[in-house]
Amino acid sequence: MNCDINALRHHQLVEDGQLEGCYIHQPAQGSQQDDKAVLAERLALEKMGYKVIQVKAKGGTTTFAEAMRKLAEKTGHQSQE
């Protein structure tokens, strides 16, 4: 797959904070982690050297803040609250 990182449909770049530079899958209707298009996009990003994080949505939907919190927990990053 030829991947244009400026036109991603299933992943979003984290632009600041401790996870800057990682791509995260944004679950949405028709865009779940095991969908072929999502997997192809993730593999293309990984082949280009980007770190891609899959966050499972609870109940099928999630907010970006929830996804980032779960990602921080998974990677061992602690928030400064």
Side-chain angles (χ1 to χ4, degrees):
M1 173 183 181
N2 188 7
C3 185
D4 178 3
I5 62 172
N6 295 314
L8 296 174
R9 298 186 66 207
H10 306 288
H11 294 83
Q12 178 178 352
L13 176 64
V14 179
E15 296 185 16
D16 60 3
Q18 294 176 329
L19 302 171
E20 182 177 355
C22 293
Y23 280 86
I24 188 168
H25 174 241
Q26 281 289 90
Q29 186 175 14
S31 178
Q32 298 304 313
Q33 293 179 3
D34 58 349
D35 291 340
K36 288 181 182 181
V38 174
L39 293 172
E41 192 173 274
R42 185 188 82 212
L43 291 173
L45 285 167
E46 288 174 344
K47 282 183 179 181
M48 293 185 331
Y50 293 102
K51 185 171 183 176
V52 181
I53 307 298
Q54 298 288 99
V55 178
K56 184 174 183 176
K58 94 180 146 177
T61 61
T62 189
T63 64
F64 186 71
E66 285 179 85
M68 293 306 296
R69 180 184 54 77
K70 288 181 181 187
L71 175 59
E73 289 172 2
K74 278 184 166 182
T75 60
H77 290 86
Q78 298 296 319
S79 62
Q80 302 295 324
E81 293 183 28

